[in-house]
Amino acid sequence: LIIIEIITMKSLKIWLQNARMVSLAQSLLPAILAVIIAINEQDFNIFLAILAVLGVVSAHLGMNLADDFFDYKVNTAESRKELSRQGFRARIVKYPYLTSNQATLSDLKRAIILFLLFATIMGGIILALRFNWLIVLIAFLTLFLGISYSGFPFKFSYIGLGELVIGIIFGPLLMMGVYIASANRLDISVVLASIPVGLLVVNILFTHSFIDQKADESADKMTFARLLKTNKANLTASILFNFIPYLIIVAGVILKYLHPLYLLIFLVLPRSIWLIKSLIEFTQSNNTTLTKPPKYMGNMGDWEKFQTAGIDWFMARWLAARNILSLFCIVIIIVNIILWLSKCFI
């Protein structure tokens, strides 16, 4: 039994890595944010909140693997290998566990089923204890959009709408679903927070596709960046994705749906400004080596390793977009904790 347990845990660790745990910030932080916003609600239930967060994380990992499955089926691996031979080196191999034969498509299918099954169980428990038709609707819509991202029937990621779909899933749908599971109702405050979060999730994916268009073109993957075609159009989209979230929060404060403390999100603004400036430089010089971004941009990983591999120009901008979302969520989490504490002690 001990040996079986060790093998199971080892296998789980491997599949967590294959499912790109590094991307969990775009689902885990919004989910936690929704829970923290809901904490002031009279019907708040911490047990159901935890189940909802676990379900979101498991569904995210399962969808990542499903994306690998559908991409592999259309043979993007070979096109990315060919691009690598031509000298382009930015995150070329998306699913090395398949291309290196460490796992088979059957193994991948089982992993997808298990992750999604766990998410379904979490959702089932929530519905059994707190039935709400809105949760059912959100769950089915999320599942439909998630499968359709790379698979049947729409393959959104191949018609240039994949980034927008992921933003809807990891912004409004995710946060509203977790909020309802936690508080048994929906509030305008979480809606106003979820739209900016969704836009910043789009910003992560769009930044990736903006600067990685050669790989996507070789893989015949029509991203939103390729759909827009020109650098001018892509820069305009980046500006909108980066700065509209702040305007939505300001509107919420002005209309008195959000507390004025929400304006602390402007602490994140320097990161957005840096990213836009960096993308402008990218369109002017294309793929040039960058100096390490300033400390206020957050964790930039193993920078020396990125420079050695020649992908620092890519990773700096992608990590910057990720760090913008992370700090945006963290600031709002802190704001809501302050508001909750003030109610407790006043």
Side-chain angles (χ1 to χ4, degrees):
L1 290 177
I2 294 176
I3 294 175
I4 293 175
E5 182 179 353
I6 292 173
I7 293 173
T8 302
M9 292 304 295
K10 182 179 179 181
S11 177
L12 176 61
K13 183 178 179 180
I14 291 172
W15 279 106
L16 287 174
Q17 293 173 344
N18 292 342
R20 301 188 291 286
M21 279 181 58
V22 68
S23 68
L24 281 181
Q26 70 188 46
S27 63
L28 185 57
L29 278 173
I32 292 173
L33 173 56
V35 171
I36 297 299
I37 296 176
I39 202 169
N40 281 315
E41 294 287 354
Q42 183 176 357
D43 290 336
F44 177 76
N45 186 308
I46 187 61
F47 173 68
L48 295 181
I50 292 172
L51 293 186
V53 172
L54 290 175
V56 163
V57 169
S58 187
H60 183 185
L61 295 172
M63 288 292 94
N64 279 350
L65 291 175
D67 183 42
D68 285 357
F69 176 82
F70 290 118
D71 273 1
Y72 189 85
K73 292 287 283 186
V74 296
N75 202 31
T76 58
E78 286 303 314
S79 57
R80 284 178 178 266
K81 283 182 180 179
E82 177 59 30
L83 192 61
S84 180
R85 286 191 287 269
Q86 297 171 11
F88 188 76
R89 300 176 297 168
R91 301 171 71 85
I92 297 300
V93 181
K94 181 183 177 184
Y95 27 73
Y97 58 93
L98 289 176
T99 55
S100 64
N101 296 320
Q102 292 177 349
T104 65
L105 277 179
S106 295
D107 296 330
L108 178 56
K109 286 181 184 178
R110 284 192 290 270
I112 293 170
I113 291 171
L114 288 175
F115 277 119
L116 295 183
L117 178 61
F118 182 82
T120 302
I121 292 172
M122 296 299 100
I125 295 173
I126 291 171
L127 286 175
L129 298 176
R130 177 175 279 174
F131 185 81
N132 189 307
W133 279 109
L134 268 178
I135 296 179
V136 176
L137 177 62
I138 289 171
F140 274 104
L141 184 56
T142 300
L143 180 62
F144 172 75
L145 291 176
I147 295 296
S148 298
Y149 173 74
S150 292
F152 179 82
F154 294 113
K155 294 189 176 182
F156 288 115
S157 65
Y158 289 88
I159 60 174
L161 300 177
E163 295 93 331
L164 302 181
V165 167
I166 294 299
I168 293 171
I169 292 174
F170 289 102
L173 291 179
L174 184 158
M175 290 186 63
M176 288 191 291
V178 172
Y179 190 94
I180 296 169
S182 304
N184 202 28
R185 65 181 292 269
L186 187 62
D187 187 78
I188 186 64
S189 62
V190 75
V191 175
L192 287 172
S194 70
I195 297 173
V197 167
L199 288 170
L200 292 177
V201 170
V202 173
N203 187 46
I204 297 174
L205 301 171
F206 182 72
T207 299
H208 182 296
S209 62
F210 185 0
I211 60 180
D212 202 21
Q213 291 182 67
K214 290 182 180 178
D216 290 326
E217 183 179 0
S218 176
D220 196 28
K221 196 164 187 175
M222 180 56 72
T223 63
F224 193 51
R226 289 190 63 211
L227 195 65
L228 294 178
K229 295 182 179 179
T230 67
N231 284 335
K232 183 177 180 180
N234 277 297
L235 282 173
T236 300
S238 289
I239 290 171
L240 294 176
F241 293 143
N242 272 278
F243 297 128
I244 285 180
Y246 301 96
L247 298 179
I248 292 174
I249 297 299
V250 169
V253 172
I254 292 174
L255 295 173
K256 298 183 179 181
Y257 290 123
L258 300 176
H259 193 278
L261 279 177
Y262 269 77
L263 294 178
L264 286 174
I265 51 96
F266 279 94
L267 292 171
V268 190
L269 186 59
R271 292 188 177 186
S272 295
I273 293 173
W274 183 92
L275 177 58
I276 294 301
K277 287 183 177 179
S278 178
L279 289 173
I280 292 173
E281 292 174 1
F282 173 80
T283 61
Q284 294 172 344
S285 55
N286 206 356
N287 298 9
T288 56
T289 301
L290 293 176
T291 56
K292 187 174 182 178
K295 290 184 179 180
Y296 66 77
M297 290 306 298
N299 183 12
M300 285 290 155
D302 192 340
W303 188 253
E304 292 183 359
K305 182 179 178 180
F306 296 153
Q307 284 186 314
T308 300
I311 59 172
D312 51 334
W313 60 271
F314 175 89
M315 294 303 297
R317 291 159 176 126
W318 181 76
L319 289 172
R322 184 202 66 179
N323 291 350
I324 289 169
L325 170 67
S326 298
L327 186 57
F328 195 93
C329 290
I330 290 170
V331 168
I332 299 180
I333 286 171
I334 292 172
V335 165
N336 278 274
I337 290 175
I338 292 172
L339 295 176
W340 177 69
L341 290 174
S342 66
K343 286 187 177 181
C344 291
F345 294 103
I346 294 178

